[in-house]
Amino acid sequence: MTDTSQGAEKAKIHEGKEADHHPYFRPRDAATLILVDRSGSIPKVLVGKRHDKVVFMPGKFVFPGGRVDKDDYRVPCAAPITAELEANLAKGSPKTPASRAKSLAIAAIREACEETGLCLGRKSEGKAKLEGAWKPFADAGLLPDPSSLFLIARAITPPGRVKRFDTRFFTADASAITHRVEGVIHADAELVELVWVELGSKPLADLHPMTRNVLNELDTRLATGPLRHDAPVPFFHFYGGKMQKDILS
């Protein structure tokens, strides 16, 4: 690679962009959790501000999320995911089996706790055997509780990217937060600040375009009243170089 091409590649990275000329990579399962506070007249969502020294999207506001870990398949839960959520996660082709559906919901809860310190769980009888990323739940006598989650959208990263994700975007009401881990947010952490932001406000305009698409879907659903599992779930993907929006069925 020449100095010029290397410089262009570095410039893309520093701008928070990924090169789009890579060979095909199979998307990895990932999950994002959008927590919503509906106590006021305008719903607010929780966003975290990324450290300005990180390579990807420095200083940007993001939602907690990440790829599914192998432990997410077998962690015990306080309650199963609802049948309606499982059915929504199974939509699309190929069908998502029940074990995989559960791992997606659990991954969203784990990522939220890891990145924000906010945990969605329920008191468990006896001491839960949870380790690693799940230790905060065990320390608080909790098991993760995915029963309050709703599926808002699914999106797949375009081909040609070095990192590709098949992401399910979940939402849950702020009332589902049952425990807070202190010290997660600080000046040297991945997220340096947490902010509850009104939907439609300026900080949300700087989000990743796909995330803005998902937020628009959430805003539309919240405007109709309480969240429901029977609402259409959009699927954002790329075909022929253009973004497509389908409805999962």
Side-chain angles (χ1 to χ4, degrees), residues 6-239:
Q6 284 179 335
E9 187 71 14
K10 289 180 180 178
K12 284 185 177 183
I13 292 174
H14 285 297
E15 290 173 6
K17 299 177 182 178
E18 288 188 85
D20 57 5
H21 59 272
H22 292 276
Y24 177 84
F25 288 99
R26 182 179 179 180
R28 296 186 176 186
D29 278 331
T32 292
L33 181 58
I34 303 175
L35 292 167
V36 183
D37 180 359
R38 301 188 71 179
S39 60
S41 58
I42 301 177
K44 295 179 179 180
V45 292
L46 184 70
V47 292
K49 186 176 183 181
R50 287 175 62 81
H51 197 291
D52 60 6
K53 300 298 184 183
V54 297
V55 173
F56 185 65
M57 297 179 67
K60 300 291 187 180
F61 284 102
V62 297
F63 295 103
R67 68 184 187 185
V68 175
D69 288 346
K70 59 182 181 180
D71 289 342
D72 296 332
Y73 284 85
R74 52 179 177 263
V75 64
C77 298
I81 64 174
T82 63
E84 295 85 356
L85 177 58
E86 183 178 311
N88 278 338
L89 287 166
K91 292 177 179 177
S93 180
K95 296 295 184 183
T96 301
S99 61
R100 188 170 164 212
K102 174 200 168 186
S103 70
L104 287 161
I106 291 302
I109 293 175
R110 174 182 52 74
E111 288 286 341
C113 187
E114 282 185 319
E115 296 183 8
T116 70
L118 302 177
C119 306
L120 279 62
R122 191 185 302 177
K123 288 291 183 181
S124 62
E125 295 182 3
K127 189 172 180 60
K129 294 182 179 179
L130 301 177
E131 300 175 345
W134 294 102
K135 191 173 183 299
F137 284 81
D139 291 344
L142 301 173
L143 287 176
D145 182 3
S147 62
S148 62
L149 269 56
F150 291 82
L151 184 65
I152 298 299
R154 177 180 180 180
I156 296 183
T157 309
R161 303 293 175 87
V162 67
K163 291 183 178 180
R164 301 189 67 214
F165 297 102
D166 185 351
T167 304
R168 279 64 161 194
F169 291 83
F170 297 90
T171 190
D173 193 84
S175 62
I177 300 168
T178 54
H179 179 64
R180 180 171 191 144
V181 181
E182 299 297 334
V184 173
I185 305 298
H186 55 82
D188 296 320
E190 181 178 343
L191 297 183
V192 299
E193 182 183 3
L194 289 180
V195 187
W196 289 97
V197 183
E198 290 183 348
L199 282 172
S201 60
K202 186 176 180 180
L204 299 181
D206 198 31
L207 293 173
H208 189 281
M210 185 59 72
T211 308
R212 289 203 304 271
N213 288 336
V214 176
L215 270 187
N216 288 336
E217 298 292 334
L218 176 60
D219 195 11
T220 299
R221 288 179 62 171
L222 289 174
T224 65
L227 289 169
R228 307 190 326 271
H229 289 291
D230 60 353
V233 178
F235 174 37
F236 299 99
H237 62 105
F238 289 79
Y239 182 78

